Amino acid sequence: MSMEDYDYLFKIVLIGNAGVGKTCLVRRFTQGLFPPGQGATIGVDFMIKTVEIKGEKVKLQIWDTAGQERFRSITQSYYRSANALILTYDITCEDSFRCLPEWLREIEQYANNQVVTILVGNKIDLAEKREVLRQRAEDFAEAQSMLYLETSAKESDNVEKLFLDLACELIREAKQNKLDNNDTAPMPGEGKTISYLSCCSLN
Amino acid sequence: MLGLDSFNIDSVVIHTISIFFSGVCLQSPCSLLFEPVTLQPCLPSEFDVVILGTGLAESVVAAAFSRVGQRVLHVDRRSYYAANWASFTFNGLLTWIQQHHEESQPEEAQDWSSLLEEGEELIYLSNSKSESDSISNVQVFSFTSEEEEEEEAPSPDPPSIAEEQTGGAEEDAVKENSETESADSKEDDTKEKSEATADGDDEEQASQTEGEEPEADQPTTSAAQSQSEPIKKKISYPQLLKEGRRFNIDLVSKLMYSRGSLVDLLIKSNVSRYAEFKNVTRILTYRHGKVQQVPCSRADVFASRQLSVVEKRKLMRFLTSCMEETEEQQAYNGRPYLEFLCDQQLGDNLQDFLLHSIAMVTEDTPTEEGLTSTRHFLRCLGRYGNTPFLFPVYGLGEIPQCFCRMCAVFGGIYCLRHSVNCLVMDKETNRCKAVIDSRGQRISCSHFVVEEGYVGADRKQMATPTRSLSRAVLITDGSILPSDSDQQVSMVTVPPIAAGCPAVKMVELCSSTMTCMPGTYLVHLTCQSVGSAYEDLSPVVTRMFHTPESHDQENCPSVLWCLYFNMADGSGLEAEGHNLPSNVYMCSGPDGGLGHEHAIKQAESIFQKILPEEDFCPPAPNPEDIIYDGDNTSSAMGGEEEEKEETEDKQEKEEKEDKQEEKEETEDKQEEEEKDGAGEMEKEEEQTLQTEE
């Protein structure tokens, strides 16, 4: 197998209520556009963007929920082997904030222990409709030891920062893990994807 | 790999839909998610296919339909995916057990006839909460201590002393427990008692002793190396609960044949990208009261210390020769495989290996069937590793979910905790026109696929009387055959331990499969039922493991916790021919086979009956090759249908080419692999895909 063209590969998973702007965040970051209209994107599993951080190439694989969050029916396998989770709510929608504890329960149940979680309040371009005060969200994030960031996928505010900060944090953790690499418990990802096993992926 | 042309082709499938959920129901989308069911948004009222139940076959069908552009609604009344194919955390499994002890609530039969139009008739489905039909005889035993162990100063006691003490303590336990046992079986209230045990009641047997090492603060990391530590720690029940989420305990126990239909489908469809797999590292068998490794690959045979040189030569010759059909073999058609093997003058050792562990058949299986199984085993050997099998990391319950994800990615709508109450049948055509969901919404559909559990017995036509599988799940503290590595995944064949007893298939999983907590092993036992699961399997458990009921088994791994239950065997059920509308297809539950052939075949046949012209699960585009509608290079937005048709031919062609290439590449790789042998695989295994460093 040829060497891949990156130094790090991270799987980032988005969660949060329907309509908070998860897909918009991903598309803003990976494609630099804000898709008009609300529609589910068909046939897209995850998006990929390779960024360079301090001279190291980091490939980010960003997974979206495929609409399964709408009826609270996300498959557990979606959370498996994620390196980072972006928990998103809509600052103009109190309910999307109130559902966060439920999401955290799911994370605790299915995601791996070392997963990096960041809380994102999206839609700050709609400041006049804000229902969740920044301070409240910050307090909540701190209590749950999550990072916190407010974004606007529409205006492209903090979107780049969101993913780059995450990438930095993941690199930091990866290096840390390498440092005190003492044969810790098997990490997710220890298994192999079939395509990797069989070398017949279409890559 | 994909040529430039394919960019346009892939982009065809990427279009934006905004038809669903844009109505009034979605006024406050945020409140929907975790609110009571009644406040959830309405579902669209029209689908091509409605699928009820998220077992393996149903999920594959869902992915297949969605992938070729059909509108799919996939629901399950349960709060989890995969039905009887599910895996649970330890705590989740306790809840499942609890549910099977509860009396099933009589269904509230609601009258939906007001939703009917002329010439229509309702067919009610069965939605009782507990799957009392398919699961029975649930029994739980816990042999761990109830108390969290107290901190003690590290004790330098040699292991022998610790073991003696343990043994003593457990002998007392044996008495008590066997009393409970016999009382149980007499009083016919086993369920209640065993449930009490599961809940940590006073039935639990303390088996810890003073000589043990105290609980470390991070049992997770250090326990993984427990093999190398002089003294084993006993794991307490509270610890199992605390670490409960590290378990992924499958209700079914199967393995994936590396050239079986499931692996082929995962690769073909690209669903494989949602899961990771581990090799089963060894095949074991239980003979003459001992666990032995079965040599099956060329390397194994030569490295084997149990086989004499003559045996090695004979075995190699047999394995080579049986790959081709010969006249000699044909002469044995209809006669037992055992007879054929006997006449090959292989000797008892090899004969047993070949019959029980390689062909995995019984003594009276006909020769042609035995040879087919043997060939399948041998063909699967060496594709990925030293054995013919793979196991999905996090358990088998992942597999149906992976197909569900694929369905959702292509627009399928998912709704757990949601069911279909009845079908609306057109009397004249005998077709199901619509379904009425658990909230009384009428949803029209062209086809309806249903898990058998939702269909009342009066409507099923069973070809053969329902058979049942006996299952046991053990959490143990050591491997049944300790080796250099404590991270082995073992397939164990246990021939009938006495006349009339069933042959038992056993799978031992280590913690790196992410199905059990470090320091423990998860052992699955399965056989065709003769009696109840406990009657069928506890004799094997008692012989091969240390439990309070076993004697002289101090060297065997101890059972910390175990569960027995019976599950209906789905192999006897056909997809069609039932007393149901002609466009309703039934999927059976798990069958007793080791592989997944039955479910995959069933899913494919349902798909082909409905859409005979379409490809079954064509490869999903690679995310890296997708061009999005926003990019100027393609115009996939709007008018999707037309464009789709235009390029469909092209797409098909492309896909065929891809497949061709894929095939060639696979073959090349296989040759390579076969050359490189086992060493190469081990190297690969150490690498990680997701956490590349």
Side-chain angles (χ1 to χ4, degrees), chain B residues 457-489:
Chain B
D458 51 326
R459 291 198 171 265
K460 282 185 214 167
Q461 302 286 322
M462 303 297 280
T464 46
T466 340
R467 286 190 302 173
S468 147
L469 305 173
S470 287
R471 288 274 294 116
V473 177
L474 322 177
I475 299 171
T476 69
D477 68 350
S479 172
I480 54 161
L481 187 63
S483 70
D484 300 342
S485 160
D486 63 355
Q487 294 297 310
Q488 299 267 12
V489 183

Side-chain angles (χ1 to χ4, degrees), chain A residues 94-155:
Chain A
E94 169 76 22
D95 284 329
S96 72
F97 184 76
R98 273 197 278 141
C99 284
L100 295 178
E102 288 282 348
W103 285 111
L104 288 174
R105 226 166 300 165
E106 286 228 355
I107 295 172
E108 198 191 340
Q109 189 77 239
Y110 305 122
N112 103 60
N113 289 339
Q114 290 115 311
V115 72
V116 176
T117 312
I118 185 164
L119 180 65
V120 170
N122 191 30
K123 306 196 185 175
I124 51 170
D125 49 289
L126 303 173
E128 71 282 3
K129 291 189 191 160
R130 182 189 275 271
E131 287 184 7
V132 183
L133 291 178
R134 190 188 175 107
Q135 189 59 48
R136 221 175 120 205
E138 273 175 356
D139 292 347
F140 180 77
E142 201 184 319
Q144 305 291 335
S145 46
M146 291 184 286
L147 309 165
Y148 180 66
L149 204 61
E150 293 199 341
T151 59
S152 164
K154 191 175 177 197
E155 304 295 334

Side-chain angles (χ1 to χ4, degrees), chain B residues 3 23 59 84 92-93 124 146 209 278 323 406-407 422 452 485 541 550 570 595 613 651 686:
Chain B
S59 302
N84 277 348
L93 186 63
Y124 282 87
E146 197 186 329
T209 65
K278 283 196 105 60
M323 288 310 282
M406 180 61 83
C407 174
C422 41
E452 62 165 311
S485 160
V541 172
S550 58
E613 305 292 309
Q651 190 175 357
E686 281 164 19

Side-chain angles (χ1 to χ4, degrees), chain B residues 385-575:
Chain B
N386 240 351
T387 76
F389 306 112
L390 293 176
F391 186 81
V393 178
Y394 298 106
L396 291 159
E398 296 288 291
I399 301 293
Q401 295 185 53
C402 293
F403 283 98
C404 291
R405 160 102 189 160
M406 180 61 83
C407 174
V409 164
F410 283 89
I413 292 183
Y414 275 83
C415 228
L416 295 177
R417 297 167 229 88
H418 197 98
S419 193
V420 170
N421 280 0
C422 41
L423 311 181
V424 177
M425 186 179 85
D426 187 280
K427 283 191 234 174
E428 208 170 295
T429 58
N430 186 34
R431 286 178 71 84
C432 169
K433 287 167 77 177
V435 299
I436 292 166
D437 76 359
S438 42
R439 277 183 283 150
Q441 189 186 345
R442 183 179 161 129
I443 298 166
S444 61
C445 62
S446 318
H447 301 279
F448 182 66
V449 178
V450 60
E451 173 197 323
E452 62 165 311
Y454 291 88
V455 179
D458 51 326
R459 291 198 171 265
K460 282 185 214 167
Q461 302 286 322
M462 303 297 280
T464 46
T466 340
R467 286 190 302 173
S468 147
L469 305 173
S470 287
R471 288 274 294 116
V473 177
L474 322 177
I475 299 171
T476 69
D477 68 350
S479 172
I480 54 161
L481 187 63
S483 70
D484 300 342
S485 160
D486 63 355
Q487 294 297 310
Q488 299 267 12
V489 183
S490 314
M491 163 74 207
V492 194
T493 53
V494 185
I497 51 172
C501 290
V504 175
K505 290 184 188 111
M506 182 157 112
V507 176
E508 184 188 77
L509 302 166
C510 60
S511 60
S512 65
T513 60
M514 309 302 275
T515 56
C516 57
M517 65 183 273
T520 66
Y521 290 81
L522 188 63
V523 182
H524 288 283
L525 292 92
T526 313
C527 69
Q528 288 290 339
S529 300
V530 175
S532 76
Y534 182 81
E535 288 161 0
D536 289 344
L537 296 172
S538 68
V540 173
V541 172
T542 317
R543 273 181 207 219
M544 297 179 69
F545 298 90
H546 181 82
T547 71
E549 294 143 61
S550 58
H551 304 281
D552 313 322
Q553 307 286 9
E554 262 78 57
N555 297 324
C556 299
S558 296
V559 177
L560 303 173
W561 184 89
C562 65
L563 161 71
Y564 294 93
F565 63 93
N566 287 94
M567 185 188 278
D569 180 346
S571 60
L573 192 93
E574 295 294 323

Side-chain angles (χ1 to χ4, degrees), chain A residues 45 69 73 93 111 196 202, chain B residues 1 30 33 245 273-274 687:
Chain A
D45 240 337
E69 81 281 19
S73 303
C93 176
Y196 181 71
L202 299 176
Chain B
M1 201 70 239
C30 317
L33 196 50
R245 60 179 287 278
R273 68 165 73 121
Y274 303 134
Q687 292 180 22

